[in-house]
C-alpha cells in the first residue's frame, strides 16, 4: 500500500481532457438513456394517483420506457451498454502518467488475454474518467506464493484514483482485516473472506456511487457495494474518506468523475475483462420551470421545441425561465428526444414526449419544424387546438408539421391541400413559402407597423433585430393585424443598412396577431413571428415582443407595461443557427432537458 500512487486533487486538472473525451464518447451520461421507440399507442394508465416525489402516476402510460440493452451470453462478460476498459488485447485505454497534454502509455505486460503488473513501473489508470457505475473486473494473484501479509499478491482497484478496494492473496495469509482482499482498504474488512487460491481467477463486481460535494463540503459520502467471486462482501458501505495507510484522510472536494487506477505494489498480479456501466437515473424527458410571483401565477405555458436548424431547444428554455422567474408562469418545455438514446436530438422528428401537459395548459408556444409525430402525440395538439386556447408560433412553426397523407393528422402538414397550408396557414396565419432575405448573410430588423403601433403586444417594443433572415409571407390570414414588418439588412449586424431593392418594398410581415376559427368552431388568440432562433433571443426587443405576446395571449394585456422584465435568466449560450447533419453531432452533445435548468 505504501507505494500507491494516489492521484491528488492538485494533479486532477490534467484529466480534464479525458473528461471531454469521455463526454464526447457519451460515456458519462449519468443522466441517461431511458426510453425506447414510442409505441403506436402506449400501454398504461392516465387517471391513477400521482407517485409521491415523482412526476409520474402509478402505471403511468406516458412514462419513458427503459432502454433495451443486450445482456452478454455469459455472466461477467460485458453487456451491450458496457464501456470496455480492457478486453485482453491492449492497454490503449490506460496510461501510466502524462507528459504535458499527452498520456504516457501503460507499460504493463499484456499476454494471453490478461495484463500483468510490471513491478516498479508504476500504477496505471484509465484515460477515461467516470463516477457512479457498475464495475466488473477479474484478477489473479501470483500462482507462486511469495511473501506474507501485505507483501503477497498485493495490488488494488482504486476507484476515481482515490478509493481502494484491496487486491491481495488472502488465501491462508493473515493480515490486518481492513487490508485483506476485498476490504475497503484501511476502513472496512469484507463481511466474509471469499478469496480463491493463488493463481486462480477471481471476480469483482462493484456498484460505486461517487461522493458529492457542494460549496467545498462533502454532502454525500462515497458508497460501495462489492461482490467478490459472486459473494456479497460490502452492502451499501459508506466510505469514511480516500484510501490512506496507517492513518485516515478526510474527504477533499473533487469532480464526480475520475480515473480507475490499478496499483503496482511490486507483485505480478494479473487483471482481465474490465468494464463498467454508468449508473442510470431516470431522466424526465421535459423541463419544468415552476412559476414564482407575478401576473402569470397559476397559468401554465407549454413550450414545444423540435427543429433541426434554429436551436429551439436553446430558445424555449430561456423563454420559459423569463416567463417563470420574472412573471410567475409555470412552464413546461418539451424537446425532440431520440427514443433510442433518451437524449435531445432535434433531427429525430417523430417523438416529443410530454405533450399530455397540453391538457392543462393555458398557452402553447410552438417552434417545431416539419415534425411527423405519432397519432397519440398529435392527438394532444389536436385537442388543444380545438379547445380554442391561445397559441404562439415562432420561426419554423409556420411549417411545424410534415405528416404523410395517409395518416390521421395529415391535415396539420404545412402543404396540406384540404385544410390548406395545414396548421401554419390555418392556425398561425401562413405556411412555409421561402427565404425572402438571404439566409445567413442578410439579417432582419423589425419595423413597427404604424397602423397597429398601439397594440398591447408592442408596448415598450423597440430595436427588434435578429441574425435570421426575413421569411416570405404571402398568404397571411385576412384577419391578421401585422405588428412588425421585416426589413432585410445588408449584413449580419444590427447597425447594417437596409438593402435597397424591391424586397423591402413592401416589406414582409414579421410578426402578427389574429384570432382564427379552429375546426371546432371556437376562436383562439394567436401570435406568430418568423423570428425566434435562439440566437435571435439575444435581442431584448424580441424578448419583449414575445413576452408581451404571452401576456396578451392569455388575456393579461392589461398587465403589459413598457418595461416588463425581459432580462436573461441563468445560463444562456445560444449557438448559431444551422443544420447539424453529422449523425454523431447530437450524441456527442449528450444533452438532456435537465441541462437547461441552469
Ligand atoms: Mg493494495
Amino acid at each position: 500500500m505504501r507505494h500507491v500512487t494516489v492521484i491528488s486533487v492538485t494533479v486532477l486538472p490534467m484529466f480534464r481532457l479525458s473528461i471531454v473525451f469521455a463526454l464526447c464518447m457519451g460515456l458519462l451520461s449519468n443522466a441517461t438513456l431511458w426510453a425506447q421507440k414510442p409505441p403506436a399507442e402506449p400501454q398504461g394508465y392516465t387517471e391513477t394517483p400521482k407517485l409521491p416525489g415523482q412526476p409520474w402516476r402509478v402505471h403511468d402510460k406516458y412514462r419513458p420506457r427503459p432502454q433495451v440493452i443486450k445482456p452478454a451470453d455469459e455472466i461477467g462478460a460485458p453487456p451491450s451498454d458496457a464501456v470496455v476498459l480492457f478486453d485482453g488485447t491492449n492497454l490503449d485505454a490506460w496510461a501510466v502518467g502524462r507528459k504535458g497534454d499527452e498520456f504516457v502509455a501503460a507499460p504493463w505486460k499484456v499476454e494471453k488475454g490478461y495484463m500483468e503488473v510490471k513491478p516498479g513501473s508504476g500504477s496505471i489508470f484509465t484515460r477515461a474518467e467516470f463516477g457512479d457505475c457498475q464495475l466488473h473486473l477479474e484478477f489473479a494473484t501470483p500462482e507462486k506464493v511469495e511473501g506474507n501479509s501485505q507483501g503477497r499478491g498485493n495490488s488494488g482497484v482504486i476507484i476515481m484514483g482515490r478509493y481502494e478496494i484491496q487486491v491481495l492473496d488472502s488465501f491462508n495469509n493473515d493480515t490486518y482485516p481492513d487490508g485483506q482482499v476485498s476490504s475497503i482498504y484501511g476502513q472496512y474488512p469484507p463481511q466474509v473472506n471469499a478469496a480463491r487460491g493463488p493463481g486462480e481467477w477471481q471476480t469483482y463486481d462493484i456498484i460505486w456511487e461517487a461522493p458529492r460535494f457542494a460549496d467545498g463540503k462533502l454532502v454525500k459520502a462515497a458508497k460501495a457495494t462489492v461482490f467478490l467471486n459472486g459473494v456479497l462482501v460490502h452492502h451499501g458501505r459508506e466510505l469514511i474518506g480516500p484510501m490512506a495507510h496507517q492513518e485516515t484522510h478526510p474527504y477533499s472536494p473533487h469532480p464526480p468523475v475520475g480515473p480507475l487506477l490499478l496499483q503496482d505494489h511490486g507483485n505480478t498480479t494479473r487483471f482481465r475483462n474490465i468494464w463498467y456501466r454508468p449508473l442510470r437515473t431516470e431522466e424526465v424527458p421535459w423541463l419544468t420551470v415552476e412559476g414564482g410571483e407575478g401576473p402569470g401565477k397559476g397559468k401554465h405555458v407549454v413550450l414545444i421545441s423540435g427543429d433541426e436548424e434554429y436551436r429551439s431547444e436553446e430558445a424555449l428554455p430561456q423563454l420559459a425561465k423569463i416567463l417563470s422567474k420574472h412573471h410567475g408562469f409555470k412552464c413546461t418545455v418539451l424537446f425532440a428526444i431520440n427514443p433510442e438514446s433518451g437524449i435531445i436530438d432535434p433531427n429525430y422528428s417523430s417523438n416529443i414526449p410530454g405533450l399530455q401537459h397540453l391538457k392543462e395548459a393555458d398557452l402553447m408556444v410552438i417552434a417545431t419544424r416539419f415534425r411527423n409525430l405519432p397519432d397519440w402525440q398529435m392527438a394532444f395538439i389536436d385537442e388543444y387546438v380545438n379547445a380554442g386556447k391561445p397559441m404562439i408560433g415562432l420561426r419554423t412553426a409556420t411549417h411545424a408539421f410534415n405528416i404523410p397523407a395517409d395518416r390521421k393528422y395529415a391535415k396539420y402538414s404545412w402543404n396540406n391541400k384540404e385544410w390548406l397550408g395545414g396548421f401554419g396557414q390555418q392556425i398561425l396565419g401562413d405556411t412555409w413559402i421561402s427565404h425572402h432575405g438571404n439566409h445567413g448573410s442578410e439579417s432582419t430588423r423589425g419595423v413597427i407597423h404604424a397602423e397597429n403601433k398601439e397594440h398591447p403586444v408592442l408596448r415598450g417594443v423597440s430595436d427588434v433585430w435578429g441574425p435570421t433572415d426575413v421569411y416570405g409571407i404571402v398568404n397571411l390570414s385576412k384577419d391578421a393585424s401585422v405588428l412588425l414588418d421585416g426589413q432585410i439588412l445588408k449584413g449580419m449586424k444590427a447597425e447594417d443598412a437596409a438593402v435597397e431593392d424591391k424586397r423591402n418594398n413592401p416589406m414582409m410581415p414579421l410578426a402578427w396577431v389574429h384570432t382564427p376559427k379552429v375546426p371546432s368552431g371556437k376562436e383562439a388568440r394567436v401570435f406568430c413571428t418568423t423570428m425566434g432562433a435562439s440566437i435571435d433571443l439575444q435581442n431584448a426587443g424580441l424578448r419583449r415582443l414575445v413576452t408581451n405576446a404571452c401576456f396578451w395571449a392569455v388575456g393579461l394585456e392589461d398587465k403589459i407595461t413598457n418595461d416588463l422584465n425581459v432580462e436573461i435568466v441563468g445560463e444562456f449560450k445560444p449557438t448559431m443557427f444551422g443544420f447539424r447533419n453529422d449523425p454523431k453531432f447530437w450524441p456527442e452533445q449528450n444533452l438532456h432537458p435537465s441541462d437547461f435548468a441552469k
Side-chain angles (χ1 to χ4, degrees):
M1 160 51 237
R2 276 173 304 242
H3 311 297
V4 74
T5 312
V6 178
I7 296 177
S8 71
V9 174
T10 49
V11 183
L12 273 169
M14 74 186 188
F15 292 108
R16 287 296 76 76
L17 206 66
S18 53
I19 287 187
V20 172
F21 172 77
L23 278 169
C24 289
M25 299 300 288
L27 304 183
L28 293 178
S29 56
N30 55 356
T32 74
L33 316 164
W34 276 63
Q36 67 182 17
K37 230 180 187 73
E41 175 65 33
Q43 297 295 307
Y45 294 79
T46 58
E47 306 297 331
T48 43
K50 282 265 178 81
L51 287 163
Q54 299 190 36
W56 312 108
R57 296 178 182 282
V58 180
H59 316 315
D60 201 308
K61 180 174 179 172
Y62 304 117
R63 193 166 188 165
R65 274 56 177 167
Q67 188 189 10
V68 175
I69 69 151
K70 188 183 176 305
D73 293 335
E74 219 178 296
I75 298 292
S80 65
D81 64 340
V83 179
V84 175
L85 296 169
F86 179 64
D87 68 358
T89 61
N90 64 71
L91 293 175
D92 292 356
W94 300 78
V96 73
R98 292 196 67 144
K99 256 195 194 131
D101 286 342
E102 299 293 312
F103 285 107
V104 178
W108 291 8
K109 187 162 84 179
V110 176
E111 62 177 22
K112 299 176 190 163
Y114 61 80
M115 64 164 97
E116 185 180 291
V117 176
K118 187 176 173 191
S121 68
S123 300
I124 66 171
F125 57 86
T126 55
R127 300 181 183 208
E129 299 191 8
F130 51 95
D132 299 356
C133 67
Q134 172 191 354
L135 174 67
H136 176 92
L137 62 80
E138 297 166 23
F139 67 92
T141 58
E143 198 168 353
K144 188 176 173 208
V145 173
E146 286 178 327
N148 62 5
S149 186
Q150 292 291 301
R152 189 186 295 181
N154 196 335
S155 180
V157 174
I158 303 182
I159 300 171
M160 309 184 81
R162 294 177 170 81
Y163 307 101
E164 183 178 16
I165 312 296
Q166 174 69 312
V167 171
L168 195 79
D169 177 354
S170 287
F171 190 81
N172 293 331
N173 175 32
D174 186 58
T175 190
Y176 42 84
D178 65 8
Q180 70 178 71
V181 71
S182 73
S183 64
I184 295 173
Y185 187 85
Q187 301 181 20
Y188 297 104
Q191 292 180 8
V192 292
N193 182 351
R196 293 190 200 280
E200 288 190 65
W201 282 105
Q202 312 197 53
T203 61
Y204 264 149
D205 289 284
I206 299 169
I207 315 301
W208 177 255
E209 293 175 53
R212 297 294 197 273
F213 302 89
D215 301 325
K217 291 199 176 64
L218 180 76
V219 292
K220 185 175 166 283
K223 192 188 266 190
T225 294
V226 180
F227 293 85
L228 173 62
N229 300 320
V231 177
L232 181 70
V233 291
H234 296 284
H235 180 206
R237 178 66 82 184
E238 287 193 356
L239 277 67
I240 61 173
M243 171 265 291
H245 180 56
Q246 296 191 8
E247 56 190 354
T248 61
H249 286 174
Y251 281 102
S252 57
H254 59 77
V257 295
L260 173 68
L261 188 144
L262 298 178
Q263 189 185 34
D264 170 10
H265 200 288
N267 300 136
T268 52
T269 297
R270 295 169 178 172
F271 293 93
R272 70 180 185 188
N273 188 22
I274 307 176
W275 52 265
Y276 75 93
R277 300 173 58 248
L279 294 191
R280 296 164 183 245
T281 52
E282 185 178 12
E283 171 88 3
V284 178
W286 54 78
L287 175 70
T288 304
V289 192
E290 292 297 342
E293 292 303 314
K297 189 172 182 175
K299 295 200 185 294
H300 186 185
V301 185
V302 173
L303 303 97
I304 308 169
S305 74
D307 84 287
E308 302 89 333
E309 194 176 4
Y310 295 103
R311 305 282 73 84
S312 55
E313 73 282 357
E314 298 172 349
L316 296 192
Q318 179 54 226
L319 181 57
K321 286 185 267 190
I322 290 170
L323 293 171
S324 296
K325 302 297 177 205
H326 297 326
H327 306 297
F329 293 90
K330 176 188 175 178
C331 293
T332 303
V333 187
L334 311 184
F335 299 85
I337 301 283
N338 184 320
E340 300 294 331
S341 62
I343 61 170
I344 295 175
D345 181 354
N347 291 342
Y348 197 97
S349 64
S350 56
N351 185 37
I352 298 181
L355 286 163
Q356 64 270 25
H357 291 290
L358 285 172
K359 280 181 167 293
E360 54 194 47
D362 300 291
L363 171 63
M364 174 174 96
V365 178
I366 186 165
T368 63
R369 176 183 181 276
F370 291 147
R371 298 294 105 170
N372 174 18
L373 301 177
D375 292 349
W376 66 271
Q377 293 188 3
M378 281 307 295
F380 294 117
I381 290 176
D382 189 58
E383 185 186 14
Y384 183 90
V385 167
N386 280 304
K389 293 203 257 186
M391 287 167 270
I392 287 182
L394 302 178
R395 189 64 177 172
T396 54
T398 58
H399 41 298
F401 303 104
N402 187 19
I403 299 171
D406 59 348
R407 292 265 308 284
K408 184 172 180 187
Y409 295 101
K411 71 174 187 178
Y412 277 77
S413 286
W414 67 284
N415 56 356
N416 190 265
K417 295 289 183 286
E418 284 89 60
W419 205 41
L420 194 63
F423 172 80
Q425 191 166 333
Q426 295 294 327
I427 302 297
L428 295 184
D430 204 353
T431 186
W432 166 246
I433 305 294
S434 63
H435 288 281
H436 185 62
N438 280 323
H439 183 56
S441 61
E442 292 176 336
S443 64
T444 299
R445 180 179 295 139
V447 178
I448 305 257
H449 196 83
E451 203 181 312
N452 297 316
K453 67 178 191 308
E454 300 302 329
H455 195 281
V457 171
L458 287 174
R459 233 168 260 160
V461 171
S462 62
D463 300 324
V464 173
W465 172 82
T468 50
D469 56 291
V470 175
Y471 271 179
I473 293 294
V474 298
N475 301 307
L476 187 60
S477 180
K478 297 283 175 284
D479 77 308
S481 300
V482 176
L483 303 182
L484 291 180
D485 291 302
Q487 187 178 54
I488 302 173
L489 304 189
K490 285 177 175 171
M492 296 298 283
K493 296 195 295 292
E495 60 273 22
D496 284 329
V499 300
E500 284 147 15
D501 56 48
K502 62 181 192 314
R503 291 177 300 157
N504 272 336
N505 187 23
M507 292 181 280
M508 289 288 170
L510 183 73
W512 59 88
V513 290
H514 77 135
T515 39
K517 199 170 256 188
V518 302
S520 66
K522 294 181 179 169
E523 288 190 343
R525 278 195 176 189
V526 169
F527 166 87
C528 185
T529 175
T530 55
M531 270 193 173
S534 63
I535 204 158
D536 291 340
L537 279 187
Q538 286 182 316
N539 176 264
L542 181 66
R543 297 199 299 274
R544 180 169 307 288
L545 178 79
V546 177
T547 303
N548 287 356
C550 291
F551 273 61
W552 169 81
V554 299
L556 288 174
E557 55 267 37
D558 294 349
K559 304 288 184 190
I560 302 173
T561 59
N562 283 325
D563 58 352
L564 284 184
N565 189 349
V566 295
E567 289 299 306
I568 293 293
V569 177
E571 208 170 76
F572 186 49
K573 294 176 187 157
T575 50
M576 187 57 180
F577 53 79
F579 290 100
R580 309 283 194 257
N581 291 326
D582 181 348
K584 291 201 296 289
F585 182 83
W586 290 109
E588 284 177 1
Q589 302 308 302
N590 194 28
L591 281 178
H592 297 82
S594 57
D595 293 328
F596 290 98
K598 290 173 268 181

